[in-house]
């Protein structure tokens, strides 16, 4: 009787569970049994592994073979177990020393010719292996850079099963035939999921550095709101006619955000790795992602879900970045209302029959909407032809509880001819605004050191009222708005959070009456007699 074991990783959402892959050979009729709650794609690995082993020059054992995946209670799916199953079988057949395999975690899919293909979720799988105390992992060669992002773990990248067998048995490592020049590497295809290209708006969009805030004509209030949103992580609602610059402002917001820290980069990269969105040659996402789903997106596309084990949705792909919902009233009300919990909690929990998964969802949401179906409704002119009842129904598509979670609400005015044609009056560049945002984030991080919060938008209201309070009398006007019903209790807390962000941008030790007035103006849209420019408040 032969027995061998090695390890692989089962992914549940973006969290990994180390699975022990055991192979047992017994005398009897040749058969291959796979147990341990595998799904269809994992059950098919029996044929892939057998062909890969034979085509790699090793003999397939003609005995009763049982492969067990432990713990058996954890659902397992995908083709990432192929490499571990093949090595466990070869260890049981004594082609490889079983003692060498026991402390190695193996991740990879096998082709019928023995090549090792990449799979989604390599980074979270290696993180799970490191957390479990393992020090060695074997991954496909093209995914070795992604696996190497995890500190303290030795990564071996292999291109074929033949190479891995040679390394484990101390034999000369064979050279693989190079691919034809000028043709893409077929192994890289496994790093991306079909239907996740840039045209879908669900990709990890690296923002275009050619987009500059100085390109936006006018819109001083909206530019200030974008700066405050970036500095404090506050959600933003832009309402205005078509062509006023709402999408331009949203597209330039990621460039204003600070670069991700190492911990944030690993979080974001893990989500995109599971979703199959990591571009080849770019294993680490180190800048804020930008996700802009189409208004026809379903609730599952926004918050996550799908058949079997849930996949991350747009709110998770925008983790630590920007989620832009253009033409927000055109989204289904069911999909929009599903955003309420992630906006408050910073994560989303999806329960399915195959299991419960938890995805991170700490994002900056930007909503953009026209004021009416024709888009020309305004308090300043009479160009709109929509009846009042139609305007009310259109605006009512955004529920009150959802809008109550949005800190900044700005009306984007129509650009005038003078603003569009005047020369030499460009606004501040992205670099200038980004420097102020970076300085404000640093002030906030010093104040929030030793707490679980990173930005002002994450701090609970009770902490702001008890530990970090505004100047004496600064909140009087906001409290009067609460008594008059213009603000809810949640709205009052959010005004105080925005006031702290304004104070960080200006350089004040704590929010004063002017900071709170600007926060109220950005929240309610009612003029408070303060300049709508951060530089004018300094």
């Amino acid at each position: 009787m032969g027995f061998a074991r090695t390890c692989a990783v089962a992914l549940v959402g973006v969290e990994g569970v180390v699975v022990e892959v055991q192979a047992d050979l017994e005398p009897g009729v040749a058969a291959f049994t796979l147990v341990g709650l595998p799904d269809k794609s994992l059950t098919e690995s029996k044929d892939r592994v057998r062909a890969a082993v034979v085509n790699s020059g090793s003999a397939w054992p003609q005995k009763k073979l049982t492969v067990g995946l432990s713990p058996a209670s954890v659902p397992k799916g995908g083709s990432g177990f192929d490499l571990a199953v093949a090595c466990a079988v070869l260890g049981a057949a004594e082609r490889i020393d079983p003692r060498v395999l026991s402390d190695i975690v193996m991740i990879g899919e096998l082709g019928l010719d023995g090549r090792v293909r990449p799979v989604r979720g390599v980074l979270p799988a290696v993180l799970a292996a490191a957390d479990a105390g393992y020090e060695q992992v074997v991954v496909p060669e093209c995914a070795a850079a992604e696996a190497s992002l995890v500190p303290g773990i030795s990564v071996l990248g292999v291109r074929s099963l033949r190479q891995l067998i040679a390394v484990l048995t101390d034999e000369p490592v064979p050279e693989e035939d190079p691919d034809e020049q000028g043709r893409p590497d077929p192994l890289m295809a496994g790093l991306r999921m079909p239907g996740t290209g840039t045209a879908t708006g669900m990709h990890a969009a690296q923002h275009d550095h050619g987009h500059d805030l100085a390109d936006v004509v006018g819109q001083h209030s909206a530019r200030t709101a974008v700066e405050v949103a970036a500095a404090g992580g506050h959600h933003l609602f832009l309402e205005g006619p078509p062509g006023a610059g709402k999408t331009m402002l949203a597209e330039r917001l990621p460039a204003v955000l600070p670069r991700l820290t190492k911990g944030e980069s690993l979080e974001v990269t893990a989500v995109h790795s599971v979703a199959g969105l990591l571009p080849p040659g770019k294993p680490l996402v180190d800048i804020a992602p930008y996700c802009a789903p189409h208004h026809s997106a379903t609730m599952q596309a926004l918050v996550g879900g799908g058949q079997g084990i849930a996949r991350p949705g747009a709110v998770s792909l925008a983790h630590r970045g920007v989620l832009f919902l253009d033409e927000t009233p055109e989204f289904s009300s069911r999909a929009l209302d599903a955003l309420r919990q992630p906006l408050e909690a910073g994560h989303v929990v999806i329960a399915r029959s195959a299991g419960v998964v938890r995805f991170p969802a700490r994002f900056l949401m930007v909503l953009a909407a026209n004021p009416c179906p024709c888009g020309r409704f305004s308090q300043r002119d009479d160009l709109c032809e929509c009846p009042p009842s139609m305007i009310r129904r259109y605006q009512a598509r955004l529920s009150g509880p959802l809008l109550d979670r949005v800190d900044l609400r700005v009306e984007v005015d129509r650009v005038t001819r003078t603003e569009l044609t005047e020369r030499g009056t460009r606004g501040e560049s992205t670099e200038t605004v980004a420097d102020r945002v970076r300085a404000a984030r640093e002030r906030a991080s010093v104040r929030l050191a030793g707490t679980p919060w990173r930005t002002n938008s994450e701090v609970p209201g009770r902490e702001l009222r008890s530990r970090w309070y505004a100047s004496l009398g600064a909140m009087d006007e906001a409290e009067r708005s609460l008594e008059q019903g213009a603000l809810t209790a949640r709205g009052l807390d959010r005004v105080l959070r925005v006031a702290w962000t304004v104070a960080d941008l200006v350089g004040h030790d704590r929010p004063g009456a002017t900071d709170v007035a600007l926060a109220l103006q950005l929240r309610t849209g009612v003029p408070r007699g303060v300049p709508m420019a951060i530089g004018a408040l300094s």
Side-chain angles (χ1 to χ4, degrees):
M1 181 182 72
F3 177 83
R5 62 185 178 87
T6 188
C7 294
V9 177
L11 289 178
V12 182
V14 292
E15 299 176 356
V17 178
V18 176
V19 174
E20 189 175 77
V21 180
Q22 305 169 345
D24 177 68
L25 282 175
E26 297 180 356
V29 178
F32 189 170
T33 305
L34 183 64
V35 298
L37 211 58
D39 71 350
K40 179 65 175 177
S41 61
L42 183 50
T43 303
E44 292 175 349
S45 69
K46 296 189 294 184
D47 299 318
R48 291 194 300 269
V49 169
R50 182 187 288 109
V53 169
V54 173
N55 291 327
S56 297
S58 299
W60 183 260
Q62 298 300 317
K63 295 182 180 181
K64 181 182 178 182
L65 171 62
T66 303
V67 174
L69 308 176
S70 178
S73 59
V74 176
K76 305 168 190 70
S79 56
F81 292 84
D82 290 1
L83 198 59
V85 171
C87 288
V89 172
L90 293 174
E94 299 183 351
R95 174 68 176 86
I96 303 174
D97 188 351
R99 293 172 297 180
V100 176
L101 300 173
S102 58
D103 294 327
I104 302 177
V105 176
M106 301 185 182
I107 305 162
E109 175 188 333
L110 285 175
L112 299 184
D113 57 354
R115 291 184 301 172
V116 182
R117 302 183 63 91
V119 294
R120 294 177 295 109
V122 169
L123 177 60
V126 177
L127 284 170
D131 291 341
Y134 290 88
E135 298 179 352
Q136 290 182 307
V137 295
V138 177
V139 299
E141 184 182 57
C142 50
E146 180 183 348
S148 299
L149 296 174
V150 181
I153 197 163
S154 175
V155 178
L156 172 63
V158 294
R159 194 171 181 83
S160 67
L161 181 60
R162 289 193 310 153
Q163 289 183 339
L164 179 57
I165 294 173
V167 171
L168 296 177
T169 56
D170 292 329
E171 298 175 359
V173 179
E175 292 290 337
E176 295 294 336
D177 294 334
D179 296 312
E180 295 183 23
Q181 294 295 328
R183 296 187 62 184
D185 189 346
L187 294 183
M188 301 300 288
L191 289 176
R192 295 186 68 86
M193 283 287 290
T196 56
T198 56
T200 62
M202 303 292 288
H203 58 291
Q206 306 276 338
H207 55 260
D208 185 357
H209 292 280
H211 288 171
D212 198 300
L213 268 177
D215 300 333
V216 181
V217 178
Q219 310 302 356
H220 303 293
S221 298
R223 289 171 58 93
T224 299
V226 166
E227 182 175 348
V228 173
H234 306 287
H235 306 304
L236 174 62
F237 178 37
L238 300 172
E239 184 179 34
K246 301 186 294 295
T247 303
M248 289 183 66
L249 288 164
E251 289 175 343
R252 285 151 179 77
L253 179 55
V256 180
L257 294 173
R259 297 188 76 89
L260 302 179
T261 64
K262 185 61 180 294
E264 292 171 342
S265 295
L266 290 177
E267 292 176 9
V268 174
T269 304
V271 175
H272 292 147
S273 178
V274 169
L277 294 175
L278 282 182
K282 181 69 175 177
L284 183 67
V285 180
D286 56 355
I287 63 176
Y290 174 81
C291 189
H294 192 261
H295 64 256
S296 62
T298 62
M299 184 180 72
Q300 289 77 12
L302 283 181
V303 300
Q307 297 294 328
I309 297 179
R311 298 283 176 83
V315 297
S316 298
L317 298 179
H319 179 60
R320 301 296 178 189
V322 177
L323 175 66
F324 177 46
L325 303 182
D326 198 6
E327 305 294 346
T328 309
E330 302 299 334
F331 283 81
S332 70
S333 57
R334 185 165 174 259
L336 290 177
D337 288 338
L339 298 176
R340 297 183 193 176
Q341 290 85 355
L343 288 174
E344 289 289 334
H347 63 266
V348 58
V349 178
I350 304 171
R352 294 289 185 269
S353 59
V356 179
V357 298
R358 182 181 184 273
F359 293 116
R362 181 73 66 182
F363 56 91
L364 195 163
M365 182 178 68
V366 180
L367 306 178
N370 297 325
C372 66
C374 76
R376 294 180 292 179
F377 175 74
S378 174
Q379 302 291 343
R380 300 182 180 181
D381 47 46
D382 192 22
L383 300 175
C384 178
E385 299 177 355
C386 302
S389 59
M390 182 181 294
I391 296 175
R392 285 195 299 269
R393 284 196 302 269
Y394 186 80
Q395 295 179 348
R397 293 180 183 178
L398 301 181
S399 66
L402 176 64
L403 289 180
D404 197 38
R405 290 167 167 81
V406 178
D407 300 345
L408 312 173
R409 307 173 191 175
V410 180
E411 183 176 347
V412 182
D413 297 326
R414 183 179 292 105
V415 180
T416 65
R417 177 184 176 183
T418 303
E419 292 174 330
L420 197 59
T421 58
E422 192 173 5
R423 297 180 180 180
T425 57
R426 297 184 70 191
E428 293 179 315
S429 65
T430 295
E431 184 178 358
T432 301
V433 176
D435 289 340
R436 280 204 302 266
V437 168
R438 191 180 306 111
R441 287 278 185 117
E442 290 173 356
R443 294 189 187 98
S445 63
V446 171
R447 183 173 64 254
L448 300 176
T451 69
W453 312 297
R454 304 181 185 181
T455 59
N456 292 324
S457 63
E458 302 175 16
V459 183
R462 64 179 183 277
E463 298 291 338
L464 289 175
R465 291 189 296 270
S466 60
R467 296 176 60 179
W468 300 292
Y469 44 86
S471 301
L472 185 64
M475 292 294 293
D476 290 348
E477 190 173 356
E479 292 168 355
R480 282 195 296 270
S481 298
L482 175 65
E483 294 176 352
Q484 296 167 0
L487 285 178
T488 63
R490 180 193 283 122
L492 183 65
D493 289 341
R494 292 182 178 274
V495 166
L496 185 53
R497 293 172 184 170
V498 174
W500 267 109
T501 301
V502 173
D504 289 334
L505 284 168
V506 177
H508 295 166
D509 293 336
R510 63 184 61 220
T514 305
D515 303 323
V516 175
L518 179 57
L520 269 173
Q521 186 166 329
L522 290 171
R523 171 79 182 182
T524 62
V526 179
R528 305 283 173 171
V530 293
M532 287 295 292
I534 297 300
L537 299 178
S538 302

